Amino acid sequence: QVQLVESGGGLVQAGGSLRLSCAASGRTFSSRALGWFRQAPGKERELVSAISWNGGSTYYADSVKGRFTISRDNAKNTVYLQMSSLKPEDTAVYYCAARDYASSYALSPLEYDYWGQGTQVTVSS
């Protein structure tokens, strides 16, 4: 099994930056596609960014394109989400997720098998 733990969330002002980290334990995720999701109260969970097993392919939601950067360090079993130019609408609980035995990322949260507990990101205006 894979256990995922997010960190790096917090309260920042609009225009600021924040870096989220997701550390994996248990079974390695080096060959697993990873995604960052977020969910605001009353809204559905949405994919923010995703990355293939080798980092060769990435995805960004239109709302964050140009502002967020996803990366992974398989040697450290860690995936990162660098967030810049943050906006109040970025406020949400951010989750990292991993696909089981899948190297390519997927857009639907239903296609991810392992989830972290989430980390709160709040962007003040």
Side-chain angles (χ1 to χ4, degrees):
Q1 299 294 98
V2 175
Q3 292 79 47
L4 305 173
V5 180
E6 304 95 336
S7 63
L11 174 64
V12 299
Q13 293 185 346
S17 299
L18 203 62
R19 187 177 76 162
L20 305 183
S21 299
C22 176
S25 62
R27 181 159 52 88
T28 180
F29 74 171
S30 61
S31 62
R32 306 291 181 261
L34 300 167
W36 282 99
F37 290 80
R38 68 185 181 188
Q39 187 168 26
K43 297 184 178 180
E44 64 182 0
R45 188 168 298 186
E46 65 172 343
L47 178 65
V48 176
S49 184
I51 189 168
S52 61
W53 72 273
N54 64 353
S57 181
T58 58
Y59 165 86
Y60 297 96
D62 289 341
S63 60
V64 306
K65 194 170 297 182
R67 300 188 297 120
F68 290 11
T69 301
I70 190 171
S71 62
R72 65 187 296 167
D73 187 337
N74 289 341
K76 297 181 178 180
N77 292 327
T78 302
V79 61
Y80 305 93
L81 185 67
Q82 178 66 49
M83 306 184 294
S84 300
S85 301
L86 284 164
K87 305 174 181 179
E89 49 264 45
D90 294 319
T91 296
V93 176
Y94 284 71
Y95 301 88
C96 64
R99 301 192 71 195
D100 198 13
Y101 304 110
S103 60
S104 61
Y105 58 76
L107 302 183
S108 172
L110 298 177
E111 299 183 59
Y112 289 79
D113 302 287
Y114 305 100
W115 294 84
Q117 296 297 311
T119 184
Q120 177 71 48
V121 172
T122 302
V123 184
S124 62
S125 60

